[in-house]
Each structure stands twice: as C-alpha cells, then as structure tokens.
Amino acid sequence: MKILFLTDNFPPEVNAPATRTYEHCREWVKQGAEVTVITGAPNFPAGKVYKGYKNRLFKKENMDGINVIRVWTYIAANKGTIKRTLDYISFGFSAVLAGLFQKCDLIIGTTPQFFTALAAKKLAKIKRKPWVMEVRDIWPESIKVVEAVKDGSVMRYLEKKERQCYHSADKIVCVTQGIHDRLLSRGIPENKLKVFTNGANLELYCPKEKDKDLIKELGLEGKNVIGYIGTMGMAHKLDFILHCASKITDPNTHFLLIGEGAEKENLLTLKDKLALKNVTILDAIPKHEVSNYLSVIDIALVNLKKTDLFLGALPSKIFENAAMGNPILLGLKGEAENVINRYKAGIAFEPENEADFIEKLSFLTNNNKFYMQSKAGCRKLAEDYNRETIAKNMLDHIMQLNI
C-alpha cells in the first residue's frame, strides 16, 4: 500500500504534529507500507530554517524508510496572523504541485494547519484516490477562541471550507473522543469517524534516574521542579502559570518552562516584571534531549486556556510525561481530566483559577502517598496508550479504503 501523507510539520521539528506523524509513518513502514511524506523545510516555531536545510522548491530525503519530500513555503514564525496564514497557504499550493507526481493508493492530510487538509482534498480529487482527514484540532474555531482571527467574512469562508473537507473525506481520524463527538453533533456520519489518540513512545520515554549533571547545570539542586516542555502559544496560557508562581512562597518549588512560541517574548517580559526567582525559561531543545530534561521534573504541568473547546483536548505531553513516571498537574477539564482520574496519574485544577492551582500543587507536593500512586498510575496510562499499537490500529483502519 502506498500512502501519501501531507503535513506542515515533520522532524527534526519537535512539536506534537511532527512527532505523531513521524512515529506513525515509521511504524507503517515497518508493517510493509510505502510512505511518502510531503512537508516543508523545518522551521517551527521560530520561523528560521534549521541548520543543514534550505527552503528549496523540491528536495528528497529518506528518514527511517519514510520517503520525505520537502517543498518551498513562505516561512514565518509561529506568531501573528497574516504571515502565518501565508505560510499555511503556500504549503498547500506546494504540496498539491509536488503530490501530482507521486504515486499513491490513498492520501492523508493532517490538521490543525487547515490548508494541508484542503491540499489533500484537492489532490484526492485530481488523482481520484480516497483521502483521510486527520483532525487534531477543531479549526478554524480554535483560532477564534484564542482571538487570532475575529468573526467575519474570512472566518465564514474558512468554516465553509472546513465543512467541505469533512463531507469530502472518505475517513476522518479524530485525535480525541471530544473531536469525534463534536463532529458527530455537526452531522458528520459516524461511520466516517474513528478515534486514534496520541500516545507514548515507550522506546524513547521510560522512568529513569534524574540527570544529576543537568540538575547542577540548571541550578535545581534540592528543588521540587514543576516542568513544562512544549509550545508557548496563546492557547497554553502560561502567563497564568507565572502569576501563580509569583504567589508561591515555598523556596524549594521551582518552575521550569522549555519551548518556543508566539507568547515566548511576552512570558520573558512578564517574568522580569514580576521579578520571579522561582522560574526558569529555556529555549526549545532537540528531541533526543527531551527525556533527560523530563527526568529532572518532579511534577509535569499540562495547561490550556479556559474554554469549552478544550474540553475535548488530550495533549500529547500527558503521554510523554506519563511514560517517564512524572505525575500530572493538569489545567484542563473534560476528556483529559477523565483520563488522569481514571488512571490516578495526577490531579486537575480549575483552568485559570490561581487559588485552585496553588491548592492542588501543594496537595500533590506534600501528599507522598498520593504522589507515589500517581507515578504508578502514569506508567499504566502510558502502557495503555502505547503509540506503536495505536499506529498499527490506524493503519489497519485506513487500509480498508484500499480493499
């Protein structure tokens, strides 16, 4: 089976869409599929092309058996609306052009970069092949929630195109049950929808001793480290975390935030304004170093903006931290909280509620029995959400389109 996969993000980028796509495609190759990925030059989130790459019209490479085609895009940092939109649109056009010359049995387009799905839809029509839409986020509604785009003619146009993609796709893969239920409520036939969540790479992430050299390098000796590794965007509401940190009096509690994103500079400014000595903010790190940094974390922070749209969210950092045995301090209600509670893998606080955050953090820090129970629950969660198994099941599902 020949699969053509369109994605705006791919390794060496380290965000959730890049990691999920790579790990799924790598597993599909192991299972005998021939996989071609069309993507751009790696540049997320700073909008700077990674060392060793150039923003060329067309370049082929092979990554663990995956045929990777990198196409030209208008490159922009992950902030601002107009330039990012031009980035997404340019990738859509380049992906269609490159895809015309690739043989395939089916096409997959992954969101939330919505123009990637539009490109997959267009290619499927031209090549008369079935196509699968992977929905990682309800877009464009999610950008309206974080006020990146206002209601108006542009939003109505995007919502129209969104509906067309849902109805055109032969199968829709939902990354959470919440997305599945939301699309079902919009009238999308249930036989089109299937949930394949994010998961844990148990080869890469597993419980390990703390990296003592790293602890010393970061000046975290004797600290109870509350860690966040990921995108620092508008949806992640990390300014709320900094305000909470300003009210924590325990000198042994320290917040470690690592990543890039649209809000990074604002967070650094706020840290200085609040004169926070208990917060360290670092630049993004390579994927192969993530497990070392996760090892120094005592409590994993997973936080999003307070909105009903995120009731169906299930962030991938839950699974990476769970695999490392890091209890979760969750700033989310809905599906993610249900998972954490079911496995007893941590504790949830009311999103954007400072008093509740401080109370739940104190409980998780000072109740050793609950903390150790959470570590055990994390490992069970990770085993049940093994990404290798999820990838195999997804391949079996989409192969039905080629029977």
Side-chain angles (χ1 to χ4, degrees):
M1 184 182 194
K2 295 182 178 180
I3 300 172
L4 181 61
F5 201 122
L6 275 55
T7 176
D8 204 17
N9 296 112
F10 199 72
E13 294 171 326
V14 296
N15 61 342
T19 299
R20 174 185 170 97
T21 300
Y22 162 71
E23 291 183 352
H24 279 201
C25 291
R26 183 184 62 173
E27 185 58 38
W28 297 346
V29 169
K30 290 180 182 177
Q31 298 299 314
E34 183 178 322
V35 183
T36 298
V37 169
I38 297 180
T39 188
N43 68 88
F44 181 89
K48 297 179 180 179
V49 177
Y50 287 25
K51 185 178 180 179
Y53 290 87
K54 292 183 179 179
N55 190 22
R56 297 175 174 173
L57 287 176
F58 186 92
K59 185 179 186 301
K60 286 185 176 181
E61 64 178 287
N62 189 283
M63 187 179 293
D64 294 330
I66 305 165
N67 301 311
V68 182
I69 297 174
R70 298 191 184 272
V71 297
W72 179 89
T73 64
Y74 174 85
I75 290 178
N78 188 38
K79 57 184 177 180
T81 301
I82 295 176
K83 288 185 177 181
R84 276 194 297 172
T85 301
L86 289 174
D87 186 336
Y88 302 158
I89 292 173
S90 67
F91 174 70
F93 277 109
S94 293
V96 169
L97 184 60
L100 290 175
F101 302 97
Q102 307 305 314
K103 293 182 179 180
C104 63
D105 298 308
L106 70 86
I107 300 165
I108 304 175
T110 187
T111 67
Q113 278 78 341
F114 189 63
F115 293 97
T116 303
L118 288 175
K121 173 177 175 290
K122 185 67 174 180
L123 270 176
K125 183 176 181 180
I126 294 172
K127 298 170 80 70
R128 297 181 181 181
K129 299 293 183 181
W131 81 284
V132 177
M133 183 177 180
E134 183 179 65
V135 183
R136 300 182 47 83
D137 204 352
I138 301 294
W139 202 96
E141 186 176 355
S142 59
I143 60 172
K144 184 165 63 176
V145 164
V146 298
E147 300 178 352
V149 174
K150 304 292 185 182
D151 272 322
S153 57
V154 172
M155 182 60 66
R156 287 193 294 273
Y157 172 78
L158 293 175
E159 289 173 341
K160 177 183 176 182
K161 292 298 181 181
E162 174 196 24
R163 290 191 297 272
Q164 289 176 355
C165 281
Y166 293 150
H167 289 287
S168 166
D170 295 278
K171 295 283 186 183
I172 298 176
V173 168
C174 306
V175 179
T176 72
Q177 186 64 42
I179 291 173
H180 172 281
D181 295 346
R182 204 171 185 91
L183 296 186
L184 192 63
S185 71
R186 291 185 177 186
I188 307 301
E190 187 166 14
N191 61 3
K192 268 193 180 186
L193 304 171
K194 188 73 173 179
V195 178
F196 294 99
T197 66
N198 284 318
N201 181 338
L202 300 184
E203 294 179 3
L204 190 59
Y205 302 109
C206 60
K208 61 192 294 188
E209 292 293 322
K210 288 192 174 188
D211 188 320
K212 294 179 181 179
D213 291 336
L214 188 55
I215 289 175
K216 185 176 181 179
E217 177 186 331
L218 298 175
L220 297 176
E221 297 98 330
K223 301 294 185 181
N224 185 41
V225 181
I226 319 303
Y228 175 95
I229 302 179
T231 303
M232 298 178 176
M234 290 181 285
H236 302 92
K237 202 61 183 173
L238 293 176
D239 57 329
F240 160 78
I241 301 300
L242 295 192
H243 282 292
C244 289
S246 71
K247 296 176 173 62
I248 301 234
T249 57
D250 181 359
N252 293 322
T253 297
H254 197 92
F255 292 81
L256 177 63
L257 311 180
I258 303 174
E260 302 290 341
E263 291 297 299
K264 176 75 171 287
E265 291 302 319
N266 292 335
L267 293 172
L268 290 169
T269 300
L270 181 60
K271 176 181 179 293
D272 291 340
K273 180 181 178 181
L274 296 174
L276 297 176
K277 303 298 184 184
N278 61 345
V279 175
T280 299
I281 300 178
L282 301 178
D283 293 339
I285 53 177
K287 191 71 175 177
H288 69 273
E289 294 182 15
V290 170
S291 64
N292 291 334
Y293 280 82
L294 288 177
S295 77
V296 308
I297 291 173
D298 296 289
I299 295 173
L301 178 63
V302 180
N303 186 65
L304 284 176
K305 181 183 177 74
K306 185 177 182 178
T307 170
D308 287 348
L309 182 64
F310 294 151
L311 292 174
L314 197 56
S316 61
K317 57 179 64 67
I318 287 177
F319 305 104
E320 294 170 355
N321 280 284
M324 297 289 294
N326 296 334
I328 311 295
L329 181 60
L330 180 73
L332 267 174
K333 293 297 183 182
E335 187 169 348
E337 183 181 15
N338 292 339
V339 170
I340 295 301
N341 288 343
R342 185 164 70 248
Y343 286 92
K344 297 181 174 61
I347 194 168
F349 62 90
E350 178 71 31
E352 299 186 49
N353 184 322
E354 290 186 5
D356 196 40
F357 173 88
I358 293 170
E359 179 184 338
K360 297 298 173 54
L361 173 58
S362 177
F363 179 80
L364 190 53
T365 300
N366 297 312
N367 190 321
N368 188 63
K369 180 179 179 181
F370 185 85
Y371 181 84
M372 297 308 295
Q373 179 188 65
S374 296
K375 288 180 73 70
C378 279
R379 188 58 185 171
K380 181 65 169 65
L381 189 162
E383 290 170 355
D384 286 355
Y385 284 84
N386 185 336
R387 180 160 261 163
E388 180 180 313
T389 302
I390 293 169
K392 288 178 180 177
N393 292 340
M394 182 173 167
L395 179 62
D396 290 342
H397 178 68
I398 63 177
M399 282 185 67
Q400 296 173 15
L401 294 173
N402 194 43
I403 295 176

